[in-house]
Amino acid sequence: MESSTKMKSISRRRFLKKTGWVAAGITVASFGAVPVVRDKIPALPTFGAPNDKDGLTWIQILVDGRVRFYCPRMEMGQGAALGLTQVVAEELNIEQTDIECILPDTNQTPPFQMTVGSQSIANFFDPVSWAAAQLREALRAVAAEKTGLSTEQILDGRSGFKLPDGTTIGYAALVPAADFIIADNRLIENDKLKRYALRPTTDHQTIGQSWLHHDLTAIVTGQMAYARDISLPDMAFGAVVQPPSFGARFVAANSTGATAIPGVLGVEIDEAAGFVGVVASTPFILSEALEVLDVEWQTGPDLGQEQIDALLDVERLRAEDDFTHTLDQSGDLEVGQQSALHRSSGRYDTPFAAHAAIEPRSGLAWVRADKVEVWCGTQDPFFVQKRVAKILDREAEDVVVHTHRIGGGFGGRVMCQASEAAARLSAKFNLPVRVQWDRAAEFQNNYFQPGFSHFIDAGVSEDGFITHWDHDVVSSSILTGLAPGLIGKAIDLATPDQGTTRGIRPPYEMANKRIRHSAIRTPVPINAWRGLGAAPNAFAIESMMDELAFKSGIDPLQFRLKNLPASSARLAEVVRKVGDISNWGQARIEDTGRGLACAVYKDETAVAVVADLTIDHAAKTLRVTKVWCAQDCGLVLNPHQVESQIMGNVTWGCSMTLNEQITFAEGRVEQDNFHSYEPLRHGSSPEVHVALLAPPGTPPAPVGESALPPVPAAIANAVFAATGHRCRRLPIRYEDIFAETG
């Protein structure tokens, strides 16, 4: 079939009217067309980074003088909406109570980049600041026209302007009685536009303040509406038969048993799509209906943990000297090895991991002849829009995705499989249908963080400098992990996966180095997980750095500083700072240890961590009691929110290091709930101390995942300090260190 592309131009004026702004308001907007595409290529996530003009449809002054901010970031606890709201407030000279922050539906703004990769503040700070500044200056121009004064005479005031006679004119007085859009020719050139968010931090009014999140009261009082809280009149409930193992193929299904159950409205069997779903008038009979559905599957090999470990075995590839990509190479390894006074080598392994978010996904769909509506929590509503449109063979603009706050994403909520299933069932039965996964479905049917297998050989000279660094790593591709079959393998051969190799290049000076990588695909579905490869790679690198420091007899903190180049000055500064705030170097008491690690997340955010660990022999447990973190993420919009993100990263890192592991048997995940995949509990969480560094004039850098990478290595290094035992495999458990005694 010949593929075709239909382009439909949606003017920004039309977008503004769709948002309800016709009630009267003022915004600055370009009249450029916003394309909506429907064609035969696969629906893809929304990758494109924003530019300044993208921000023009996000901000408006309402008739009462308040600001409506359609925040182009999905909210899942990271607080990006709060930080960007403070940027809007800074530019418009307003208070938090003057802003209404809304998570936009897909018919309220043009598409924006999916909310992943700690990109929200780093990528959206400039467009939000620029657009809010343009709106402020447009209002100043309206005030000048209204008063007969020049714009230079119209001075800034709170929620408006000051006039030369001492009187004020508020924004509400400047909003026309009908919607009014200022065209491109009224925009101020960048070199003449004053952007208050770029002022020195000492001049900021709202940036740098610890505002509380606008959703906080609703969350703690149970009023926040998540996707599974939404209901519609005559709504039905759906569930889907999931494959029994990875790679299982649908063969046939018989629905007789299910349709005989009172309350079951019907069963949808789509052989081509391998889809079997049931719809009922109540959710309480869905599990019974699924049990009696007679579904035949063609299953693949009973793949278990041993076979998967064999596939991702770095020593197997080293023996064959067979790595697909050399990521970095310089100098002469043999020369470096010969000049080393001390050498160390070791293998480091991290397991598969699940997202384990507190909220299982849910999707409600209502498919009608003229419109499709979807209610869900997703990191990319426009991807869900396109996916649903493809499934239903509809135009993308026919589908409206109503967004909701997510109860934890961590990379696992880009897709919303429940929404897609709900759309299929709603289209079949002409009813609004809600599909929601339970905890077991989340563990069994989402994608995972892959296992990593590293081998590093490195050395140190007599004067304490790294002589060589030979690092091999095997894992699976992450960013392209869901690419099918031969396409995925072709991508792996062509280019290394930027997610899997994130943070693989050490920040240290080393003249003789080689870093090699191979991506091995397994039947396990792989995609984004918090920080992607940053934490597994930092675990290997920073564990080896500790080993080299010990063998050379140099303090681990000083060893890192000694080997950092001048170009890593910001990393060196956080290493010094974490040493200061933790009182690094203090005497150790028995059964305790202290470890240090550092990293630069995405080559932008410098982080250093010190972890204190205590061993309880009676309880046979390891516990991280205190963690200190120094982080340089540039301009900090909301210190409290950044500190909270760091605390979350530290807790996640402790859980990753001591508890979390996904294993496989018979082609399935063995864990299905928190009793078998136990994140760190509140009572076991460490006391966390944070220091934020921000050199003057530095822009905001990633925060959401930045503090995670060094945490596992810091804990492993603390274990060594306490016991003399090197832990090179995660998770670290008491019984792995101390032999059982009878």
Side-chain angles (χ1 to χ4, degrees):
M1 180 180 294
E2 182 180 350
S3 67
S4 63
T5 301
K6 294 182 179 180
M7 301 295 294
K8 292 197 173 181
S9 296
I10 300 179
S11 73
R12 294 187 187 270
R13 181 182 293 273
R14 181 178 169 195
F15 261 113
L16 298 179
K17 289 183 180 294
K18 282 191 169 194
T19 66
W21 289 8
V22 295
I26 185 170
T27 185
V28 184
S30 164
F31 285 100
V34 180
V36 174
V37 182
R38 175 174 180 255
D39 52 31
K40 300 303 180 184
I41 64 173
L44 297 174
T46 316
F47 292 110
N51 58 46
D52 287 345
K53 284 192 175 182
D54 287 336
L56 295 174
T57 56
W58 301 337
I59 311 166
Q60 183 205 24
I61 300 289
L62 302 175
V63 291
D64 61 359
R66 297 178 67 247
V67 175
R68 179 176 290 158
F69 175 39
Y70 287 91
C71 182
R73 301 283 79 200
M74 294 297 99
E75 188 60 77
M76 60 198 102
Q78 83 281 28
L82 177 59
L84 293 174
T85 296
Q86 289 181 241
V87 175
V88 174
E90 187 71 43
E91 296 292 356
L92 289 170
N93 298 308
I94 56 179
E95 305 293 342
Q96 185 173 13
T97 53
D98 297 325
I99 301 182
E100 178 188 11
C101 182
I102 295 174
L103 297 184
D105 300 336
T106 55
N107 65 339
Q108 293 180 319
T109 71
F112 49 77
Q113 187 180 35
M114 58 181 167
T115 307
V116 297
S118 303
Q119 298 171 330
S120 292
I121 302 301
N123 286 5
F124 286 77
F125 171 83
D126 277 329
V128 169
S129 165
W130 184 88
Q134 290 285 1
L135 179 55
R136 183 195 65 236
E137 295 309 312
L139 289 164
R140 194 189 307 273
V142 173
E145 293 170 3
K146 197 178 187 75
T147 60
L149 300 170
S150 69
T151 54
E152 289 76 15
Q153 293 175 290
I154 308 295
L155 305 180
D156 292 322
R158 299 305 289 175
S159 300
F161 302 103
K162 296 178 182 177
L163 304 181
D165 62 2
T167 61
T168 62
I169 183 168
Y171 290 149
L174 303 174
V175 178
D179 63 305
F180 175 62
I181 299 175
I182 300 174
D184 280 348
N185 59 6
R186 297 291 297 272
L187 297 176
I188 297 176
E189 296 178 5
N190 287 348
D191 60 346
K192 297 179 181 178
L193 179 66
K194 292 182 179 179
R195 288 175 52 191
Y196 298 161
L198 300 182
R199 294 182 294 197
T201 55
T202 52
D203 294 335
H204 283 154
Q205 299 181 71
T206 60
I207 289 176
Q209 300 298 311
S210 290
W211 284 8
L212 296 179
H213 200 286
H214 42 271
D215 288 342
L216 184 60
T217 299
I219 292 170
V220 299
T221 58
Q223 299 177 71
M224 177 56 60
Y226 295 87
R228 64 178 47 220
D229 296 319
I230 306 302
S231 63
L232 296 173
D234 301 319
M235 182 179 74
F237 301 87
V240 177
V241 178
Q242 301 287 358
S245 60
F246 299 127
R249 295 180 179 273
F250 173 79
V251 176
N254 186 322
S255 62
T256 304
T259 55
I261 298 174
V264 170
L265 303 178
V267 174
E268 164 71 345
I269 301 173
D270 185 335
E271 295 184 1
F275 177 88
V276 180
V278 59
V279 172
S281 58
T282 170
F284 304 110
I285 60 173
L286 287 173
S287 58
E288 179 186 355
L290 290 177
E291 287 178 7
V292 299
L293 273 170
D294 183 12
V295 183
E296 181 183 351
W297 298 90
Q298 179 184 348
T299 58
D302 290 340
L303 198 68
Q305 192 63 45
E306 185 176 342
Q307 294 97 316
I308 291 175
D309 288 344
L311 289 171
L312 301 178
D313 183 356
V314 68
E315 293 185 88
R316 174 177 63 83
L317 271 71
R318 282 177 58 84
E320 299 167 358
D321 196 26
D322 182 21
F323 287 86
T324 310
H325 300 285
T326 298
L327 305 175
D328 199 355
Q329 187 166 14
S330 63
D332 188 318
L333 282 177
E334 187 174 344
V335 170
Q337 291 165 352
Q338 292 173 353
S339 62
L341 179 63
H342 306 285
R343 287 183 65 175
S344 185
S345 62
R347 173 174 173 166
Y348 307 89
D349 293 274
T350 59
F352 286 76
H355 303 91
I358 196 68
E359 180 206 16
R361 70 200 61 219
S362 175
L364 168 60
W366 191 8
V367 179
R368 288 161 285 174
D370 62 333
K371 186 179 184 181
V372 178
E373 292 183 90
V374 176
W375 290 261
C376 70
T378 172
Q379 294 175 245
D380 189 349
F382 294 97
F383 182 43
V384 174
Q385 179 192 45
K386 289 180 285 187
R387 291 274 299 183
V388 169
K390 287 285 183 184
I391 289 169
L392 301 178
D393 194 26
R394 301 283 288 262
E395 300 281 357
E397 68 169 350
D398 291 342
V399 180
V400 177
V401 176
H402 301 286
T403 61
H404 292 270
R405 187 182 181 96
I406 309 168
F410 318 120
R413 295 290 289 273
V414 174
M415 297 184 68
C416 196
Q417 301 93 323
S419 297
E420 296 176 21
R424 287 181 183 273
L425 295 172
S426 177
K428 174 68 175 179
F429 296 101
N430 297 312
L431 289 168
V433 176
R434 185 169 75 199
V435 173
Q436 58 189 51
W437 285 14
D438 59 15
R439 186 72 57 197
E442 281 287 340
F443 275 102
Q444 293 293 330
N445 302 299
N446 202 19
Y447 44 81
F448 300 90
Q449 165 86 329
F452 281 70
S453 180
H454 298 259
F455 190 93
I456 302 177
D457 175 76
V460 183
S461 65
E462 184 177 5
D463 50 1
F465 292 101
I466 299 170
T467 59
H468 70 282
W469 187 272
D470 190 11
H471 185 174
D472 294 327
V473 57
V474 177
S475 186
S476 301
S477 290
I478 294 176
L479 294 179
T480 62
L482 298 180
L486 294 176
I487 295 176
K489 291 181 179 179
I491 294 172
D492 294 344
L493 289 172
T495 182
D497 187 274
Q498 297 302 306
T500 308
T501 59
R502 179 174 292 174
I504 195 66
R505 294 170 176 82
Y508 305 103
E509 192 79 60
M510 44 186 70
N512 307 297
K513 62 183 173 184
R514 182 182 65 179
I515 303 172
R516 300 185 296 178
H517 163 66
S518 280
I520 306 296
R521 291 184 181 253
T522 72
V524 180
I526 299 298
N527 208 251
W529 182 92
R530 197 169 194 176
L532 311 184
N537 293 331
F539 169 65
I541 293 167
E542 288 297 295
S543 293
M544 175 53 73
M545 287 296 294
D546 207 68
E547 297 192 34
L548 294 176
F550 177 77
K551 287 203 169 184
S552 61
I554 302 175
D555 174 82
L557 187 150
Q558 295 302 322
F559 181 72
R560 286 169 171 80
L561 293 176
K562 187 180 186 71
N563 283 279
L564 284 173
S567 59
S568 294
R570 292 174 73 174
L571 180 58
E573 192 59 32
V574 296
V575 170
R576 294 188 187 96
K577 185 66 175 180
V578 82
D580 291 341
I581 63 175
S582 66
N583 193 21
W584 177 263
Q586 67 182 14
R588 181 183 70 84
I589 61 176
E590 187 177 2
D591 291 331
T592 66
R594 171 170 284 193
L596 168 74
C598 61
V600 182
Y601 183 68
K602 298 180 77 171
D603 298 323
E604 295 183 78
T605 304
V607 187
V609 168
V610 168
D612 273 3
L613 177 130
T614 297
I615 301 169
D616 186 335
H617 292 290
K620 298 183 178 180
T621 60
L622 309 174
R623 181 176 178 186
V624 180
T625 55
K626 291 184 180 181
V627 173
W628 294 263
C629 178
Q631 176 169 290
D632 177 355
C633 54
L635 176 65
V636 174
L637 303 184
N638 185 308
H640 180 268
Q641 196 68 35
V642 173
E643 290 168 4
S644 296
Q645 283 296 293
I646 290 172
M647 291 177 183
N649 274 259
V650 167
T651 303
W652 187 290
C654 293
S655 189
M656 170 187 175
T657 308
L658 301 176
N659 290 19
E660 297 184 30
Q661 181 178 22
I662 286 290
T663 57
F664 306 94
E666 298 180 345
R668 294 175 55 83
V669 176
E670 291 189 292
Q671 293 73 26
D672 63 3
N673 213 315
F674 291 140
H675 71 287
S676 52
Y677 187 93
E678 185 176 351
L680 195 73
R681 292 177 180 265
H682 190 273
S684 301
S685 298
E687 180 182 319
V688 181
H689 303 270
V690 175
L692 299 176
L693 285 69
T698 53
V703 168
E705 303 160 314
S706 54
L708 171 62
V711 175
I715 296 172
N717 296 337
V719 171
F720 175 77
T723 67
H725 180 88
R726 285 289 176 194
C727 297
R728 299 191 179 106
R729 176 182 290 271
L730 300 185
I732 301 171
R733 298 194 169 101
Y734 180 93
E735 57 268 24
D736 297 329
I737 302 170
F738 301 99
E740 295 287 342
T741 57

